[in-house]
Amino acid sequence: MTLTARDIRIKPRMVTTLAVATDRTQTAAALQSDWLGGYHGTNSIPVGSGGSVVVESATTSTLHMPESPNPVALVGRGFTENLNSMILMYDRIVHTGGGSHSTLAVQQVNTVALPRYTDGKGVFPFIEVYATGAGSPVYGTISYTNQDGVPGRTGTIVNLVAAATFCNPVTLQSGDTGVRSVETVTMSSAGSTAGNFGITLARFICPISRWQVGGAISCFRSDATALELGVVMMPPGAFLWFLTYDQGGSGTREHFFRADWIVE
Amino acid sequence: MAITSVDELITGLIAGQRHPWWKNQQTVTALRWVSLWKYAGVPGAGANPLPSGASGAAPSGTTAGAFPLASAAVGQDLYLAQHAWSCDEAGMLTMCDRLVHTSGLSGTSIVTQQVQTVPLTRSTDGKGVECWLECYTQLGATSRTATISYTNQDGTQGRTGTATIPATMRVGEVVPVQLQSGDSGVRSVQTLILNASTGTAGDFGVTLLKRIADMTEPVSVNGVEANAFDLGLPEVSEQACLSFLYLANSTTPGPWYGSFCIAKA
């Protein structure tokens, strides 16, 4: 796609929105995924290892992208929320489920090949929890293939929250800038029940910022232009996935999100 | 070539290199600068400069811990054209090209320590090249003054800079070196001497860097989205070793999540 400044000003924009809704209660210092709902309807839990590719956003609950066989340009967005939390927007690419919190054995994951961003550069792994494992389990490491195709690399899981809907990021081995696939995951301390977790591979798009308006009970609002977003080109089939980094306190979020697209 | 219009900027952004990144939270001392070089995340942590105790190295985009940049085509240049990031506290993030780094200096030695940095491979005239001291193993509990002998941007040797090493300088913390009056940059550093022992040898070194862009997050977790005009569209060497400094506002800054675009034109 080629775009000019005039195109961005005058071309028709397709606008997609997430309607105002009531979200979940905040949990301090945690990355909370919207896969099981919150910003939108619930999606199904990925089944087993081997990795399933995320279906196109048009058929899954999320902030939908325009349907197009070609990349579409993200040229604007608006966001309003009433609580103080950082929203991070990713393209969710591959995910698995069926991981157990109650074993110290090496668990096979063997994610499928990336359908986009295939070189793995900038693709981050997460441990995503679908069902809580009791008994204070502690995540250990993953074995992965890096952006250069080198297998057997070791990532260290950052333990934030091992409860359903939460995500735990992974720090990569020195020199690595992304992940092509994840082969195994190992707990460092087992819990008493299996629960359910999986590996999610996602590429970061942008943080979603807000500007505080008024006092504590006011909404936070922000807009971003095409140049501030860097005229992000989203590939066909991209799935917009939101993580919330909460800042503590209590209450439920009310929000509105709007994305402006140019499709050719 | 230069970007001369918004249309060229947009074309450069669409064809540009996007680099998502994140760095994990660390415990530091509030109101001190920290280098994210050694912090875990994506890219993975950088290593201590080697060889330790010697002249150091001139890192590039292929050095572990840096962002590998794709080469520009013949006749093209690279520009930082967009950067969005967020952190869980208010603070200031500086993107820089890490030009030279050394390690192996002692926090207990009170004799002149040889540094003799390797030559700059980028920004070779030294103009605008800043000198910082970076900690790799925690130093002692007593604040001390470091005096640095360096060669300035005009090639004049024997210039004198000073830096205050804070009490209990932690891993990752950095302090700027104040240059001698009239100087605007550093080509190389020859020696360093402390006025007294900090109490613990630790490990620290000299880092020479070129500042690329500064961005401030005025309110915690509100995030920053900077476009090419906000950033000043700075040119970036395709060999650059891009890394970050952060002025922490609390003892537990981070995690940081960001993504920047390097445009080609």
Side-chain angles (χ1 to χ4, degrees):
Chain A
M1 177 187 290
T2 58
L3 282 176
T4 65
R6 177 179 166 81
D7 291 336
I8 291 174
R9 283 200 306 274
I10 70 169
K11 277 200 171 187
R13 294 183 176 200
M14 182 170 288
V15 175
T16 57
T17 62
L18 277 177
V20 173
T22 298
D23 200 10
R24 295 156 298 196
T25 301
Q26 288 202 100
T27 298
L31 278 173
Q32 194 167 25
S33 165
D34 73 336
W35 178 253
L36 295 180
Y39 288 117
H40 48 64
T42 300
N43 290 301
S44 57
I45 296 173
V47 178
S49 61
S52 50
V53 179
V54 174
V55 296
E56 291 189 11
S57 65
T59 57
T60 311
S61 292
T62 185
L63 173 71
H64 289 176
M65 288 173 46
E67 291 188 63
S68 170
N70 302 312
V72 297
L74 177 61
V75 294
R77 67 115 185 96
F79 184 66
T80 301
E81 187 166 88
N82 65 317
L83 290 178
N84 202 25
S85 58
M86 180 197 309
I87 312 295
L88 308 167
M89 187 163 77
Y90 289 83
D91 180 356
R92 182 180 174 112
I93 309 168
V94 165
H95 57 191
T96 73
S100 171
H101 292 94
S102 58
T103 177
L104 291 177
V106 175
Q107 301 182 56
Q108 296 297 315
V109 180
N110 298 314
T111 56
V112 297
L114 297 169
R116 49 189 182 275
Y117 313 113
T118 54
D119 60 8
K121 291 177 181 173
V123 174
F124 298 176
F126 293 91
I127 301 294
E128 183 163 1
V129 186
Y130 298 107
T132 304
S136 303
V138 179
Y139 302 108
T141 58
I142 63 168
S143 176
Y144 66 92
T145 299
N146 75 4
Q147 75 287 342
D148 295 325
V150 179
R153 306 289 285 175
T154 300
T156 302
I157 302 164
V158 178
N159 282 266
L160 295 178
V161 178
T165 76
F166 290 97
C167 272
N168 299 275
V170 180
T171 63
L172 301 187
Q173 199 168 326
S174 180
D176 290 351
T177 60
V179 169
R180 286 189 186 175
S181 60
V182 174
E183 281 68 59
T184 65
V185 60
T186 307
M187 304 293 296
S188 68
S189 179
S192 56
T193 61
N196 188 341
F197 71 85
I199 296 289
T200 300
L201 301 181
R203 195 169 197 273
F204 187 49
I205 300 170
C206 61
I208 297 169
S209 63
R210 299 138 299 121
W211 295 105
Q212 187 170 356
V213 178
I217 61 171
S218 298
C219 286
F220 301 92
R221 171 185 170 271
S222 76
D223 294 285
T225 66
L227 292 183
E228 289 165 347
L229 295 167
V231 198
V232 178
M233 302 299 293
M234 298 297 295
F239 180 94
L240 299 182
W241 179 48
F242 298 90
L243 286 178
T244 307
Y245 185 84
D246 291 325
Q247 293 303 297
S250 60
T252 52
R253 286 189 288 267
E254 302 284 346
H255 66 273
F256 177 81
F257 191 98
R258 184 201 82 242
D260 300 354
W261 310 91
I262 291 180
V263 183
E264 284 191 344
Chain B
M1 67 182 192
I3 291 176
T4 59
S5 70
V6 175
D7 287 350
E8 289 179 0
L9 171 62
I10 293 168
T11 300
L13 281 165
I14 291 175
Q17 310 169 43
R18 291 181 190 278
H19 293 275
W21 62 277
W22 86 278
K23 290 291 183 180
N24 197 23
Q25 191 172 56
Q26 299 290 322
T27 298
V28 300
T29 303
L31 302 178
R32 291 184 186 175
W33 284 94
V34 294
S35 165
L36 306 192
W37 178 250
K38 289 277 293 177
Y39 288 4
V42 180
N48 287 11
L50 294 174
S52 176
S55 304
S60 69
T62 61
T63 302
F67 294 88
L69 301 181
S71 299
V74 174
Q76 285 192 323
D77 295 311
L78 303 182
Y79 299 90
L80 176 64
Q82 179 265 350
H83 192 183
W85 65 279
S86 193
C87 168
D88 75 341
E89 66 161 20
M92 176 177 168
L93 185 76
T94 293
M95 177 187 279
C96 58
D97 181 2
R98 196 174 169 98
L99 301 170
V100 166
H101 54 191
T102 78
S103 64
L105 296 173
S106 168
T108 55
S109 172
I110 56 171
V111 300
T112 298
Q113 302 185 62
Q114 295 297 315
V115 182
Q116 310 297 344
T117 55
V118 296
L120 296 169
T121 57
R122 303 178 295 281
S123 304
T124 53
D125 62 5
K127 291 178 181 173
V129 173
E130 301 176 25
C131 180
W132 294 67
L133 302 181
E134 183 162 354
C135 183
Y136 298 103
T137 302
Q138 185 170 310
L139 303 183
T142 306
S143 175
R144 297 299 185 197
T145 298
T147 301
I148 295 94
S149 176
Y150 67 92
T151 300
N152 74 5
Q153 76 288 341
D154 295 326
T156 306
Q157 300 177 355
R159 305 293 284 176
T160 300
T162 58
T164 301
I165 293 181
T168 315
M169 189 178 186
R170 298 174 191 256
V171 175
E173 290 186 358
V174 288
V175 293
V177 173
Q178 181 176 325
L179 302 185
Q180 193 168 331
S181 178
D183 288 353
S184 61
V186 174
R187 288 189 186 176
S188 60
V189 173
Q190 281 68 56
T191 63
L192 177 145
I193 187 169
L194 300 177
N195 65 333
S197 170
T198 68
T200 303
D203 183 348
F204 71 104
V206 168
T207 301
L208 302 181
L209 60 87
K210 187 72 176 282
R211 188 177 297 252
I212 294 174
D214 300 303
M215 287 161 286
T216 299
E217 185 178 51
V219 179
S220 63
V221 306
N222 269 229
V224 180
E225 287 147 337
N227 63 33
F229 303 102
D230 300 325
L231 297 163
L233 201 61
E235 189 171 345
V236 175
S237 166
E238 62 185 38
Q239 284 84 38
C241 177
L242 297 180
S243 62
F244 297 106
L245 304 180
Y246 188 77
L247 180 56
N249 198 40
S250 76
T251 57
T252 53
W256 298 262
Y257 297 90
S259 179
F260 61 86
C261 184
I262 302 290
K264 295 181 185 179

